[in-house]
Amino acid sequence: MHSILIIDDETKIRTLLARILELEGFEIHQAEDLKSGLKKIKTLSPEIILCDVKLPDGNGVEFAKEVKEKFPLIEIILLTAYGNIPDGVQAIKNGAFDYITKGDDNNRILPLLYRALDRVKYNKENEVSQETTSTKLDSNLLLGKSPIFEQALQLAQKVAPTNATVLLTGETGTGKEVFATAIHQSSLRKDQNFVAINCSAFSKDLLESELFGHKAGAFTGAMKDQKGLFEEAHSGTIFLDEIGEMALDLQAKLLRVLESGEFIKIGETKPTKVDVRIIAATNRNLEKEIANGTFREDLFYRISVFHIELPSLRERASDIELIVNQFIKHFNHYYQKNIKSINQEALLFLKKYSWPGNIRELKNTIERAIILSENEELSTNDFPSFIQTSEIDQNENSLELALMEKKHIQKVLKFTKGNKTKTAELLGIGLTTLYRKIAEYKLN
């Protein structure tokens, strides 16, 4: 029986949650504050903790960090009466599995619990401490024997031991964060923090606060001093994904870090010094962005000291079989399946498909196929129809990449009946990226 600890100072809410979860067959324990909750964690070793954010003796967001540091295999889901973006971001950074609003998100609790239990089970089996399953999987994505992929790997291996700033470019889903992680792990900074942030996931003001931190009272809601990610990455590496999305005034602040190793926090007057290696990534053509006036030329030359272009999956179709077999092995273990191989017909379809979402899309496709398959061998019937019917025209190589991308996005949108969330998931790209592509290509 799975063990869950509920920490909430409101007796009625705690009792109601306990009753609902007991009916699902869970073993439930309760605590009214963080102090008693911590005692029960030590004695009962629950698998999941459901914890209120505001408690009489502390804050659940900070408590999540303490729990993950001391008990890395426990997953914690935070419950709040009044959700806000900064708290949600900090909760996930502190290791919380999720952050949800009471009442509005009640229907999410049970599905979340089962997903969190999957995470616990997988982590226990693989003796994972604070490393997530996705990080474990990402390490396995550095697979490939094609010459174009080997060339990118060799460049990464050469630059890794240095302190040079690196710019990784390539289409969405080509594994830029995987390469950044590998470069850090092979560097002299490998024992220090590796901090990653997607610059497109935050508004300008929130991104500035996340990167550089702020002083208490600097803006509404800034109740205390907060370290930025550059400080968190001191002596280590910071990975700035989708740097092409960064606002111009933030680019100027980043340029100062590169030139002088210092920055000024929001609400501060004195500079803060840091020693950080920067690895940046983008799927945009920064030379075009410079011409359009949306990216600083001086910053471009600073971040592109060492430039590595990552190939698309189309350009290394010969690697698909190797990658697919690795995904089969991984998801067999994750979903307790016993799929031994993929048949040659299905493999041929995968090699013919153009993969606009690259490895990320391939991963999602194999995961879906393994969930659906009832046999020991994956076949064409286990894959979406738009992959089964995909054919590459012999003359298609002469077409612009943008035209191919537009055609495939149209095809997937039609398959999902216009469901943009599902389309982004199948393509292996972010929802923000999909909306940008829809606007760019003027798609309905």
Side-chain angles (χ1 to χ4, degrees):
M1 185 181 292
H2 296 297
S3 174
I4 296 174
L5 172 62
I6 302 171
I7 306 175
D8 200 311
D9 60 326
E10 295 185 53
T11 306
K12 287 184 179 179
I13 291 178
R14 199 172 67 239
T15 305
L16 177 62
L17 262 177
R19 180 60 181 154
I20 292 170
L21 299 179
E22 282 171 344
L23 291 173
E24 286 288 317
F26 294 114
E27 178 187 328
I28 304 300
H29 306 281
Q30 300 181 42
E32 61 184 4
D33 54 35
L34 297 180
K35 184 178 179 181
S36 57
L38 194 55
K39 286 182 180 178
K40 293 196 174 185
I41 293 170
K42 292 175 180 177
T43 56
L44 301 170
S45 299
E47 293 169 284
I48 308 291
I49 299 171
L50 288 173
C51 182
D52 191 14
V53 169
K54 292 188 177 181
L55 288 157
D57 58 343
N59 184 285
V61 175
E62 296 303 317
F63 183 65
K65 185 176 183 180
E66 182 182 354
V67 169
K68 293 303 288 184
E69 286 173 351
K70 294 179 179 177
F71 312 96
L73 295 181
I74 294 176
E75 294 298 337
I76 182 165
I77 297 171
L78 293 174
L79 310 173
T80 179
Y82 308 100
N84 64 76
I85 293 173
D87 269 2
V89 170
Q90 190 61 45
I92 302 304
K93 281 169 61 178
N94 285 358
F97 185 79
D98 211 331
Y99 172 95
I100 63 175
T101 306
K102 293 179 183 178
D104 295 345
D105 292 334
N106 281 347
N107 60 332
R108 291 182 58 202
I109 290 177
L110 284 175
L112 263 180
L113 280 174
Y114 285 113
R115 281 172 46 211
L117 285 169
D118 282 343
R119 170 80 65 81
V120 171
K121 180 181 178 183
Y122 182 74
N123 286 354
K124 283 181 177 177
E125 288 173 350
N126 288 276
E127 297 181 352
V128 176
S129 55
Q130 296 184 35
E131 189 178 58
T132 64
T133 58
S134 61
T135 304
K136 194 84 173 168
L137 177 61
D138 283 346
S139 299
N140 292 328
L141 292 184
L142 285 173
L143 290 172
K145 295 181 179 178
S146 59
I148 193 169
F149 185 72
E150 287 283 357
Q151 184 180 17
L153 268 182
Q154 287 169 11
L155 288 172
Q157 287 164 1
K158 287 179 180 178
V159 76
T162 75
N163 278 318
T165 302
V166 180
L167 175 64
L168 302 171
T169 57
E171 296 176 22
T172 297
T174 47
K176 293 186 280 291
E177 185 166 354
V178 180
F179 266 78
T181 304
I183 289 170
H184 170 75
Q185 290 175 347
S186 300
S187 74
L188 299 176
R189 298 172 181 259
K190 63 182 179 182
D191 295 325
Q192 305 300 322
N193 285 344
F194 174 82
V195 178
I197 184 168
N198 187 325
C199 298
S200 67
F202 298 88
S203 66
K204 181 183 79 67
D205 293 337
L206 188 55
L207 179 59
E208 183 175 5
S209 176
E210 286 298 305
L211 288 175
F212 304 112
H214 62 254
K215 295 292 288 181
F219 52 84
T220 304
M223 305 302 293
K224 60 180 181 178
D225 292 358
Q226 178 178 306
K227 274 187 175 183
L229 295 182
F230 270 96
E231 281 186 277
E232 295 286 349
H234 181 65
S235 299
T237 304
I238 189 166
F239 173 57
L240 303 175
D241 198 8
E242 301 298 352
I243 195 172
E245 309 283 343
M246 187 179 284
L248 281 169
D249 51 350
L250 280 187
Q251 292 178 29
K253 205 162 184 176
L254 176 59
L255 183 63
R256 180 175 179 178
V257 179
L258 283 161
E259 290 178 338
S260 64
E262 64 180 34
F263 60 88
I264 298 176
K265 293 182 182 182
I266 302 172
E268 182 85 82
T269 55
K270 295 179 180 179
T272 299
K273 282 275 188 182
V274 286
D275 170 24
V276 176
R277 182 186 194 173
I278 295 175
I279 301 177
T282 183
N283 59 10
R284 291 193 174 197
N285 184 322
L286 292 184
E287 286 93 339
K288 285 186 178 179
E289 299 299 322
I290 291 167
N292 293 334
T294 57
F295 202 84
R296 294 179 62 111
E297 187 173 18
D298 48 3
L299 178 59
F300 172 71
Y301 289 120
R302 281 285 183 174
I303 63 173
S304 59
V305 172
F306 200 95
H307 180 195
I308 303 175
E309 175 77 23
L310 303 189
S312 67
L313 199 52
R314 290 183 301 281
E315 296 173 278
R316 56 186 192 106
S318 60
D319 290 334
I320 286 178
E321 184 173 4
L322 184 66
I323 298 168
V324 166
N325 287 332
Q326 182 63 48
F327 282 143
I328 289 173
K329 181 181 177 181
H330 172 78
F331 288 119
N332 265 341
H333 183 80
Y334 189 80
Y335 291 111
Q336 298 297 294
K337 303 277 279 194
N338 188 32
I339 294 169
K340 296 177 179 177
S341 62
I342 178 172
N343 69 32
Q344 289 303 306
E345 183 185 13
L347 188 60
L348 183 60
F349 278 122
L350 297 186
K351 287 182 176 180
K352 283 186 175 181
Y353 182 60
S354 66
W355 299 109
N358 292 290
I359 294 175
R360 193 180 299 146
E361 184 185 3
L362 177 60
K363 185 195 84 169
N364 293 344
T365 301
I366 298 301
E367 182 176 11
R368 177 184 181 275
I370 284 177
I371 292 170
L372 292 176
S373 181
E374 297 178 353
N375 304 307
E376 291 187 345
E377 184 179 68
L378 293 181
S379 67
T380 53
N381 293 331
D382 297 316
F383 294 99
S385 57
F386 63 83
I387 289 180
Q388 295 179 41
T389 58
S390 176
E391 292 183 4
I392 297 180
D393 193 321
Q394 293 298 316
N395 296 319
E396 201 164 38
N397 288 332
S398 64
L399 298 175
E400 290 185 13
L401 183 60
L403 184 60
M404 294 172 64
E405 184 175 58
K406 176 180 178 180
K407 185 168 69 173
H408 277 286
I409 291 173
Q410 281 179 316
K411 192 178 291 185
V412 180
L413 276 168
K414 184 177 180 181
F415 173 73
T416 63
K417 297 181 174 61
N419 185 321
K420 294 179 181 64
T421 301
K422 188 64 178 175
T423 299
E425 182 183 336
L426 289 172
L427 288 173
I429 62 177
L431 194 57
T432 304
T433 302
L434 176 63
Y435 274 105
R436 192 176 73 241
K437 294 291 184 184
I438 289 172
E440 182 182 339
Y441 295 135
K442 297 181 174 61
L443 299 174
N444 293 321

